[in-house]
Amino acid sequence: MPAYELALLLRAMPKQELKSTLKRVSHAIFNRGGIIRNIENLGFRAMPYKTSAHGLVHREANYFVFKIDTATQAVADLKEEYSRDVDIIRQRVFKVQNDCDHSCTLEEEMLPPAYREEVQKMIEVGKTQVNRFTYKFKYNSGLDYYPFQK
Amino acid sequence: MSLLNTFFTKNIYSTTRRILVLTMRPSSTESSENNAPIEMENPYKKERRQCILCQLNITPDYKNYRLLSQFQSPYTGRIYGRHITGLCKNKQALVEAEIKKAQNCAYMPYYYKDKTFLKDPKLFDPQNPIRSHRF
Ligand SMILES: [Zn+2]
């Protein structure tokens, strides 16, 4: 099962209601055979922009991040269910990407253009193509007339 | 008397010079064998430059919107380009992707920078880009 991150914005509500909402959200995951690895509460704060959801305009929200493992097919299902939930203002699902080790290429990028690999490749490509600026029409091309305007 | 004096000094000078040459010669021939070039790395080679995120081994994350907001213009909320941020291609692409994620999740504003982060330390100077502006 792939790992997903579920970023949820819940509407402003008292603690008891929030608790029941979180329970509802997590039960939806469990019912589809998923597991929750971690729940992060990023706090209650003003949103950077107002959002309207389910006929109401929201300016503040409770920010939560669920780290879940679930089947890929269940994700669309979950999204559909959460979209009907009036307590959820916004929900986004992201796949957790594993850290890839790569070395910094800043040194190569700071070289003068002629020494950069991508520029050298571009020059190679340019050599294989007809240069429109220096191309000259040859009269012995089989045509008995000059095809362009003089 | 004066002639004798000059002769005497000249004599001393020539003898001392001969002694000096004699003492120098054997030492110079001996050190020529030790003076052979030594195999070593170029001591003037500069250290490999790294961008600030690679240096500190940071992977940008959409939840860390405070870090991401440092790559955003305080006036327009636009993401600064690679010629200003001085990041390598890989990290710049990651930062841009994560900022877009954070903005979409309503962690970060689109058109301005969060006013609580305006006094955060500056990672780079937009007025002095590492490559010149198009404008
Ligand atoms: Zn780098």
Side-chain angles (χ1 to χ4, degrees):
Chain A
M1 286 197 289
Y4 293 101
E5 265 181 31
L6 177 62
L8 284 182
L9 269 68
L10 307 181
R11 70 179 176 85
M13 51 188 152
K15 229 169 187 178
Q16 276 303 317
E17 276 184 55
L18 192 65
K19 193 179 155 193
S20 65
T21 307
L22 286 174
K23 254 187 193 165
R24 198 165 64 237
V25 165
S26 33
H27 276 300
I29 296 163
F30 295 141
N31 290 341
R32 283 168 183 79
I35 50 170
I36 297 176
R37 292 208 178 270
N38 188 13
I39 300 177
E40 273 180 67
N41 184 3
L42 304 187
F44 175 73
R45 67 180 184 98
M47 284 173 19
Y49 44 85
K50 67 176 183 182
T51 306
S52 63
H54 305 288
L56 279 173
V57 176
H58 302 274
R59 285 159 206 278
E60 287 144 337
N62 290 293
Y63 286 74
F64 282 94
V65 175
F66 285 62
K67 287 184 179 159
I68 59 174
D69 278 21
T70 178
T72 313
Q73 279 96 348
V75 173
D77 240 26
L78 279 175
K79 274 183 169 175
E80 193 270 333
E81 184 166 336
Y82 293 153
S83 71
R84 283 185 281 112
D85 198 326
V86 288
D87 291 336
I88 296 173
I89 300 172
R90 195 173 268 237
Q91 40 122 353
R92 295 282 180 270
V93 181
F94 298 117
K95 198 159 184 270
V96 176
Q97 72 269 51
N98 37 357
D99 295 345
C100 50
D101 263 1
H102 76 278
S103 52
C104 196
T105 52
L106 187 70
E107 190 71 46
E108 283 81 44
E109 286 162 30
M110 295 295 287
L111 288 171
Y115 295 95
R116 273 184 245 149
E117 206 175 306
E118 51 175 14
V119 176
Q120 284 166 359
K121 260 184 203 159
M122 255 158 41
I123 291 168
E124 283 305 307
V125 168
K127 275 178 188 167
T128 62
Q129 279 160 4
V130 178
N131 190 344
R132 287 189 294 116
F133 299 104
T134 56
Y135 175 72
K136 200 142 188 278
F137 175 74
K138 289 190 192 77
Y139 284 91
N140 58 356
S141 61
L143 290 174
D144 55 352
Y145 64 97
Y146 183 74
F148 309 113
Q149 207 170 24
K150 274 210 174 156
Chain B
M1 183 64 198
S2 65
L3 198 139
L4 198 144
N5 213 354
T6 49
F7 173 76
F8 193 66
T9 48
K10 241 183 201 171
N11 202 15
I12 285 172
Y13 175 71
S14 57
T15 47
T16 49
R17 188 152 171 264
R18 202 168 295 146
I19 288 160
L20 272 172
V21 168
L22 274 171
T23 50
M24 277 174 76
R25 218 169 253 161
S27 69
S28 64
T29 48
E30 190 182 67
S31 62
S32 69
E33 288 148 23
N34 302 342
N35 259 350
I38 307 159
E39 285 298 319
M40 64 186 293
E41 268 184 59
N42 182 6
Y44 300 105
K45 200 183 169 191
K46 279 179 186 162
E47 206 177 311
R48 213 182 138 78
R49 276 177 297 179
Q50 280 193 316
C51 69
I52 189 157
L53 292 186
C54 286
Q55 220 170 52
L56 304 172
N57 199 14
I58 295 168
T59 317
D61 184 25
Y62 71 98
K63 282 164 282 174
N64 189 359
Y65 50 90
R66 186 165 193 170
L67 172 78
L68 294 178
S69 75
Q70 286 180 305
F71 296 100
Q72 206 184 21
S73 163
Y75 306 107
T76 59
R78 290 196 58 178
I79 306 165
Y80 283 124
R82 199 155 57 86
H83 62 295
I84 293 171
T85 58
L87 297 178
C88 60
K89 267 184 184 167
N90 204 312
K91 289 283 178 190
Q92 177 74 18
L94 264 177
V95 163
E96 282 174 18
E98 295 298 316
I99 286 179
K100 274 167 197 162
K101 266 190 195 176
Q103 288 173 336
N104 200 247
C105 286
Y107 288 150
M108 243 169 105
Y110 282 100
Y111 288 111
Y112 60 97
K113 184 168 163 173
D114 200 326
K115 68 169 186 279
T116 49
F117 302 151
L118 282 178
K119 282 182 182 168
D120 279 355
K122 303 276 176 289
L123 302 181
F124 44 81
D125 183 9
Q127 299 303 322
N128 291 313
I130 55 171
R131 256 192 273 271
S132 57
H133 282 284
R134 279 192 296 123
F135 323 108

